[in-house]
Amino acid sequence: MTRQIVITLAGLSVDAIGCYGSAFNQTPTIDAMASDGFVWDRLVCHDDRPDVVLASLVSSRTGGLLIDDGTMPAVGQTFDSVQTIPIDSADRSVANRVEDTHFSRLVQRLDEAVNADKPPERLWLHSGFLARHWDAPRDLFPVDESWDDDDQEFLDTEPSAALSGETAPSGTSGEGACPPIFEGAEPPVHPMVADDPVDLIMAWMRTYGCQVRLIDQLLDRCVDLADQIDATLILMGTSGFNLGQNGWIGHGCGPLRSAQIQVPLIVRTPQGIHRDVGMRWPKLTGSQDVAATVFAEDLVNRLPFTAEQWAADSVDAIDQILVTQTETADRCVNTSGWFYVRDSDQSEHLYLKPDDRHDHNDVGRLAPDALDRLSTDG
């Protein structure tokens, strides 16, 4: 089989990755992986629970698993070895150095596994630190970096009080100045309200950007390790992260929208094999579908998708349907041209895809036929 180093992360947002169009964050290592690798532009989770997505990916896999969540024993039951490096929930401090972060400790274990006498054919690292423990040094994102006007759309989201029926937690909203970046290691779960400081979203985006820059910096070592053993390097999210697009800031909170279920997937094959290709797959893909292709043992002998497949016309926008299983909303459906969601209060929403990336414009009243057809399985 092809040697593989797989890195999956709960809470990894496409909006904080340069090769996915982020203007507020810099990810040079990930962008380099994408420049001569394979990128999925519209990968959507088939379930809004990251543990379920991860379980579908690792099912029947072998090799070595490094994971920071020991509450999922079934996930690693087929692996030859499983190392659990739990997040220290009692330590809420921010690291002063990259080397002192939780994710760095995971990558160090990966380094040791690669340099063992007989490294496994597949090494899989999974972390949920983006959803649970923001310990990245804050100097990874200098607060004097300029703010690009292209990111103003993040600040144009309406407050979520009407959507959620909740008020902001004590101490997280209200009038007054907002720090340029937050210092605590506790990730936010914050409904946006009318009296939030005007630069609150920007501050949380910088803070989240720190965590993604930490990943990007440590991925540089992962690239070296992959080259050392001629391995395919795969980076994928098992859930996204809300940065205000749905009226909330946080992981898995607020009404279900694209930011929570659209995730990155980038594949970098070994040197001399499929390299310098730099192909992007623009079509809707479900996370359950890549398990049999991207993570297959024979990936080295074939492309994850061909030029002919890439150039082929998409099927009719209403026919390619991907239903996301969710306990948050009543129904969630993606097609080539639409994103439909019926919230738990039975309100229906329809967004044009892929144009309306952040679900800003609900066009349900303008497309009643699409709304009706996507509202049921019939």
Side-chain angles (χ1 to χ4, degrees), residues 363-378:
V363 296
R365 64 182 180 84
L366 303 176
D369 290 345
L371 199 71
D372 290 341
R373 292 176 67 184
L374 293 173
S375 64
T376 64
D377 291 324

Side-chain angles (χ1 to χ4, degrees), residues 38-59:
F38 300 90
V39 180
W40 279 253
D41 283 328
R42 197 171 169 217
L43 180 69
V44 175
C45 294
H46 70 282
D47 197 293
D48 66 351
R49 294 167 294 179
D51 294 357
V52 174
V53 174
L54 177 64
S56 70
L57 296 175
V58 304
S59 177

Side-chain angles (χ1 to χ4, degrees), residues 46-366:
H46 70 282
D47 197 293
D48 66 351
R49 294 167 294 179
D51 294 357
V52 174
V53 174
L54 177 64
S56 70
L57 296 175
V58 304
S59 177
S60 302
R61 307 295 179 194
T62 58
L65 175 66
L66 305 168
I67 195 167
D68 58 23
D69 193 343
T71 65
M72 300 184 291
V75 166
Q77 62 185 2
T78 62
F79 280 82
D80 302 312
S81 65
V82 178
Q83 294 186 57
T84 302
I85 303 93
I87 294 174
D88 186 356
S89 59
D91 183 6
R92 311 312 301 171
S93 61
V94 172
N96 292 319
R97 304 182 308 157
V98 167
E99 295 82 1
D100 297 329
T101 61
H102 172 76
F103 189 64
S104 178
R105 289 191 285 273
L106 282 168
V107 173
Q108 179 58 40
R109 295 290 184 92
L110 178 65
D111 193 318
E112 294 169 359
V114 168
N115 286 287
D117 291 338
K118 293 184 178 180
E121 294 291 306
R122 177 187 289 111
L123 285 163
W124 196 304
L125 184 159
H126 178 78
S127 178
F129 89 96
L130 285 171
R132 298 166 53 196
H133 190 65
W134 286 9
D135 63 347
R138 297 309 191 248
D139 58 6
L140 290 176
F141 200 124
V143 296
D144 59 349
E145 282 191 10
S146 62
W147 182 257
D148 195 302
D149 289 340
D150 290 341
D151 289 296
Q152 185 63 33
E153 60 184 304
F154 281 100
L155 306 180
D156 293 336
T157 309
E158 292 295 325
S160 66
L163 291 173
S164 66
E166 300 184 30
T167 57
S170 175
T172 61
S173 68
E175 299 179 357
C178 181
I181 197 166
F182 290 100
E183 292 296 334
E186 184 75 27
V189 180
H190 178 74
M192 295 161 53
V193 293
D195 60 349
D196 278 340
V198 66
D199 52 355
L200 178 73
I201 299 178
M202 186 187 307
W204 279 123
M205 288 172 70
R206 288 194 185 104
T207 313
Y208 179 80
C210 270
Q211 319 312 310
V212 177
R213 291 186 185 200
L214 170 70
I215 295 167
D216 189 78
Q217 189 170 126
L218 290 168
L219 272 175
D220 190 55
R221 177 55 182 158
C222 297
V223 168
D224 291 341
L225 293 172
D227 286 343
Q228 179 179 325
I229 59 173
D230 290 326
T232 295
L233 179 61
I234 301 171
L235 174 67
M236 178 177 168
T238 57
S239 61
F241 197 93
N242 299 314
L243 293 169
Q245 304 94 325
N246 70 337
W248 282 68
I249 305 170
H251 179 260
C253 56
L256 183 62
R257 296 295 184 266
S258 296
Q260 294 163 259
I261 56 175
Q262 184 172 350
V263 294
L265 171 58
I266 302 168
V267 175
R268 177 185 184 271
T269 52
Q271 291 183 349
I273 305 173
H274 309 156
R275 292 293 292 277
D276 302 321
V277 176
M279 294 182 67
R280 303 183 74 105
W281 184 247
K283 301 172 187 178
L284 176 66
T285 306
S287 57
Q288 77 279 18
D289 296 325
V290 300
T293 54
V294 175
F295 299 97
E297 283 78 2
D298 63 340
L299 182 61
V300 72
N301 298 318
R302 59 176 175 80
L303 294 169
F305 49 81
T306 66
E308 290 75 19
Q309 290 173 320
W310 179 89
D313 291 335
S314 295
V315 296
D316 184 78
I318 202 69
D319 289 336
Q320 185 183 354
I321 294 179
L322 193 161
V323 178
T324 295
Q325 300 301 314
T326 172
E327 298 178 352
T328 304
D330 191 63
R331 181 172 172 81
C332 178
V333 179
N334 272 277
T335 75
S336 299
W338 301 106
F339 170 54
Y340 167 86
V341 61
R342 184 167 62 236
D343 291 336
S344 56
D345 63 2
Q346 300 303 300
S347 61
E348 295 181 297
H349 308 274
L350 186 68
Y351 305 96
L352 184 65
K353 295 295 176 179
D355 298 354
D356 188 0
R357 177 173 172 176
H358 298 117
D359 305 340
H360 282 321
N361 299 307
D362 188 340
V363 296
R365 64 182 180 84
L366 303 176

Side-chain angles (χ1 to χ4, degrees), residues 20-43:
Y20 281 92
S22 178
F24 83 90
N25 204 28
Q26 299 176 12
T27 53
T29 304
I30 298 176
D31 298 349
M33 286 177 59
S35 67
D36 59 2
F38 300 90
V39 180
W40 279 253
D41 283 328
R42 197 171 169 217
L43 180 69

